Amino acid sequence: MIDPAASAYRSPLYRRLATDGAVWREMNDTVVAASVSRRGAGGDIQITDLSPLPRLGFKGRGTIPAMQARGIIAEATPNQAFRQADGGLCLVLGAGEVILLPNLDGQGERLAQLEADWRIEDEERTYPLRRRDSHAWLAVSGKALPDMFSKICAIDLRPNKFADLSITQTSIAKMSAILTRADVGGKTVFHLLVDSAAALYFCNCLLDAAAEFGGRLVGLNELQKSEGG
Amino acid sequence: MKILTCPINGPRNISEFVWGGEVKEMPDPATATDAEWSEYLFLDNNRAGEIFEWWLHAPTNTWFIAHRNTVTDVVLETMTVDTYFARRAKAERAEEEA
């Protein structure tokens, strides 16, 4: 039996997931909910907790050139995400800030390497930030996405208005959040990064908003299935 | 709800913003008197008319400048800090030349 609490990188939502009957799976240096068993198939909204997966931020005036020098695809266009060759994402939040997300296999070596290789002596005017500690990460998908988000967010998130790889940094359910649209296998997926200390509140808000659409928590296996198309 | 336009993130609900006070010159902290310094920190001119103010878009931590009419409460323009100071420097240069 896998104990999520034993992992140093357990999700801030592990108790909530356990309540819904999560089945755990070991993944690199952490434990993720592979599936969340609850009666009734997922309705029009599926919420996946990706918080245990690695992620890393960089900040500073020289961030974009520093990322490009490391072979990361990124341009200085705020609120735009860039898909990487390995399926990961580089979120460009501002002229001098990025967050790097891995693909759904959650391989963290590359990110760990980026953090370890950073040296202040290089004077690149950028510095790493451990976004795995600061931000919880939820992926929300499903047919009812725009309808559901219109209840908790003032931004027009309809697919024809909010293109793939767009980012909006706004207030969602009264919390500051970074919302990125990054479609997986032709399916619209919103990646949400929010303060990890309030992750449970935020997750409950999402579930509350999703309730009328039959929304529920699902495991990573389900999201990975959509990756296959 | 009122809408304010962040120069980086676009139009957003006013609840996402925090007012940061009037744009004013900072006196030299080394030479300012206590009275000057506390005036700088705590007191505003509160002028009736068009003023420039600091605003913060909280979700992105973006500080920017808004040009607002305090009588009508109409925001005439919002701009990045870079734009504001570049414009001001240009205006000052033009004044010197004249």
Side-chain angles (χ1 to χ4, degrees):
Chain A
M1 177 111 176
I2 298 166
D3 177 15
S7 164
Y9 288 108
R10 64 179 178 266
S11 163
L13 297 168
Y14 82 93
R15 287 191 186 90
R16 183 68 185 76
L17 288 157
T19 310
D20 280 11
V23 177
W24 306 99
R25 164 154 72 94
E26 278 177 352
M27 191 184 200
N28 310 315
D29 59 353
T30 185
V31 172
V32 297
S35 63
V36 181
S37 62
R38 214 177 186 199
R39 254 173 293 163
D44 288 341
I45 294 285
Q46 296 87 39
I47 301 168
T48 316
D49 175 34
L50 299 177
S51 301
L53 272 59
R55 52 199 167 279
L56 184 67
F58 278 92
K59 199 169 179 175
R61 225 162 242 256
T63 297
I64 303 295
M67 291 302 108
Q68 289 164 342
R70 286 161 172 76
I72 292 165
I73 305 163
E75 282 165 42
T77 39
N79 293 322
Q80 180 70 41
F82 296 88
R83 266 199 194 91
Q84 307 301 304
D86 65 355
L89 290 169
C90 175
L91 316 183
V92 178
L93 303 180
E97 184 170 7
V98 300
I99 291 183
L100 304 170
L101 301 178
N103 60 28
L104 295 181
D105 294 332
Q107 295 289 346
E109 288 88 6
R110 171 102 172 98
L111 297 181
Q113 199 62 45
L114 286 174
E115 190 182 359
D117 289 349
W118 178 81
R119 295 181 320 137
I120 196 163
E121 297 81 34
D122 294 340
E123 294 184 0
E124 286 185 295
R125 306 196 74 179
T126 188
Y127 55 94
L129 294 157
R130 303 193 139 188
R131 294 306 192 194
R132 198 180 193 178
D133 301 331
S134 63
H135 285 64
W137 177 9
L138 292 160
V140 189
S141 56
K143 269 188 292 188
L145 270 184
D147 289 338
M148 175 203 149
F149 273 90
S150 69
K151 294 165 68 182
I152 50 174
C153 175
I155 304 297
D156 190 349
L157 297 173
R158 284 174 296 174
N160 57 334
K161 297 278 181 185
F162 191 71
D164 188 26
L165 299 178
S166 301
I167 300 177
T168 182
Q169 301 173 74
T170 185
S171 171
I172 300 174
K174 302 274 168 81
M175 266 181 74
S176 291
I178 302 164
L179 188 155
T180 307
R181 175 179 165 189
D183 296 358
V184 175
K187 196 168 152 186
T188 304
V189 177
F190 288 170
H191 291 276
L192 292 159
L193 295 166
V194 293
D195 183 2
S196 58
L200 185 59
Y201 160 80
F202 189 76
C203 181
N204 285 336
C205 284
L206 288 185
L207 285 166
D208 182 60
E212 66 173 288
F213 307 105
R216 61 173 186 121
L217 287 165
V218 299
L220 184 56
N221 289 0
E222 196 154 327
L223 191 61
Q224 280 176 322
K225 241 185 274 164
S226 5
E227 220 175 9
Chain B
M1 190 164 326
K2 280 184 187 169
I3 306 285
L4 187 60
T5 303
C6 168
I8 303 290
N9 294 285
R12 297 296 169 86
N13 283 345
I14 197 75
S15 57
E16 293 190 17
F17 296 91
V18 181
W19 183 69
E22 292 169 5
V23 179
K24 50 190 170 184
E25 290 302 317
M26 182 175 78
D28 183 350
T31 57
T33 62
D34 287 352
E36 280 168 344
W37 190 248
S38 50
E39 160 139 1
Y40 168 68
L41 286 184
F42 304 114
L43 302 179
D44 279 321
N45 287 326
N46 203 18
R47 195 157 78 86
E50 291 178 14
I51 61 163
F52 288 91
E53 291 171 324
W54 288 98
W55 281 86
L56 170 69
H57 181 238
T60 53
N61 222 12
T62 306
W63 281 101
F64 62 93
I65 309 287
H67 184 199
R68 185 170 73 97
N69 188 324
T70 54
V71 179
T72 56
D73 196 22
V74 171
V75 175
L76 303 157
E77 192 186 3
T78 55
M79 64 202 92
T80 62
V81 178
D82 288 357
T83 307
Y84 173 76
F85 283 106
R87 263 194 220 173
R88 205 168 76 168
K90 201 176 156 192
E92 279 167 5
R93 270 200 306 275
E95 217 167 273
E96 273 169 31
E97 278 162 24

